[in-house]
Amino acid sequence: MASKVGTKARSPIREFDLIRTLQQRHGRKSSSVIRGIGDDAAVVTSGARQWSVLTTDLLAEGIHFDLRTAMMADIGFRAAAANLSDIAAMGATPQYILVSLAIPRTGTSDQVQQLYRGMMAACRPHRVDLIGGDTSASDSGWFISVTLVGMVPPRKALFRSGARNGDLLYVTGTIGDSLAGLMLLNERPPRKTQRPGTAALSPRHRQFLIGRHLRPTARIAEGQWLSSHRLATSAIDISDGLSGDLRHICEESHVGAELDLGALPLSPACRTYAAARRLDPVALALTGGEDYELLFTLSPRHQAQAEQAAKTLRFRITCVGAIRPARQGIQAVGPDGGTRPLPITSYEHFR
């Protein structure tokens, strides 16, 4: 139906289309900007010995967190971890954090203190200093804006744009845990009796999955290892979901990919949860964001070196596929060896 005279039809906002438009229209950069819009963090020169890495995230109540399922300290921890993970994906060292808050009129000083306590608990192991920020009143819930500044040696930053045909795809840790933890938090209290034919979820598994959601681990050490030894050709953190974040690497690198669904690293807790709820654990891994693991690519000639070093350092890395020519698109390889286009099931704002 045509719009009424004198009015304009509103086109829906699509998150990644919006980012691309902003990049094309306003992403011009000076000689000091190494990488601007389009990666996990921006990179600018700050002298001959270091590049500065800057990232920021905005978290809104009702979109990114729910006070019914998370304590303020957990919300603060996750806010900091999201930014630390961006720094990790660039292979950088985090140094400084700035925090801006919009506080609802029902907010209390104790809630603010708990929020900062959680943020600094995430930052303290990496010796990140709080150096500033801002506060404001809010008429519609909590808003938390975190900016993190890090450093990386020149020409050692990891980008999304370096993957080449033939490179191998790897992920750190296990994936799907955070989404399973969030689903547990949103469930009603568990029933005393289990459905016939389903696996029981132990308290230990529940605690693990909820912990992976509320207190995720930013893979700073792994990112630094990949960059300092020049192992990874590209990298991104899994914040929106594997299916979507793999797409970002492919788009920025102008390549395609094959993802081996049978190789995805799934924790015993995630598998047990999926069995208990009659869900597909692979779907949790593809869809679930906020695992904050690293997805990276490396040349096959570095495979043995990387896997041996990871074993020595006790880093868990798993090969989950390979980079292919762009014309092949992004394909999922099933247990039978057959391929099909990988659906994009990750979270996207405004969709």
Side-chain angles (χ1 to χ4, degrees), residues 66-109:
D66 189 331
L67 294 177
R68 295 171 299 180
T69 58
M71 305 292 288
M72 292 301 292
D74 295 323
I75 294 166
F77 190 101
R78 291 180 66 245
N83 287 267
L84 287 166
S85 185
D86 284 338
I87 296 293
M90 308 301 291
T93 300
Q95 292 185 313
Y96 309 110
I97 186 172
L98 299 96
V99 180
S100 294
L101 296 179
I103 305 169
R105 302 191 187 282
T106 56
T108 67
S109 175

Side-chain angles (χ1 to χ4, degrees), residues 260-311:
D260 184 354
L261 301 183
L264 299 184
L266 303 170
S267 69
C270 184
R271 291 182 184 276
T272 304
Y273 172 78
R277 302 302 187 270
R278 297 181 177 177
L279 300 172
D280 180 4
V282 170
L284 294 177
L286 293 176
T287 305
E290 299 179 338
D291 282 310
Y292 298 119
E293 298 295 345
L294 298 183
L295 171 66
F296 64 93
T297 58
L298 58 82
S299 169
R301 69 177 182 271
H302 291 145
Q303 181 177 22
Q305 174 192 355
E307 291 187 354
Q308 181 57 50
K311 186 176 181 180

Side-chain angles (χ1 to χ4, degrees), residues 8-93:
K8 290 184 178 181
R10 291 186 177 181
S11 58
I13 297 174
R14 295 184 65 84
E15 179 184 5
F16 301 118
D17 289 342
L18 174 61
I19 293 171
R20 278 190 289 271
T21 299
L22 293 173
Q23 182 181 25
Q24 292 166 0
R25 293 185 179 180
H26 308 293
R28 299 177 183 87
K29 59 185 184 181
S30 68
S31 59
S32 64
V33 179
I34 305 300
R35 186 60 54 96
I37 300 171
D39 235 291
D40 285 284
V43 179
V44 299
T45 59
S46 55
R49 296 185 178 181
Q50 294 288 340
W51 285 354
S52 294
V53 179
L54 304 96
T55 185
T56 188
D57 269 327
L58 175 65
L59 283 77
E61 182 180 352
I63 302 295
H64 299 94
F65 61 88
D66 189 331
L67 294 177
R68 295 171 299 180
T69 58
M71 305 292 288
M72 292 301 292
D74 295 323
I75 294 166
F77 190 101
R78 291 180 66 245
N83 287 267
L84 287 166
S85 185
D86 284 338
I87 296 293
M90 308 301 291
T93 300

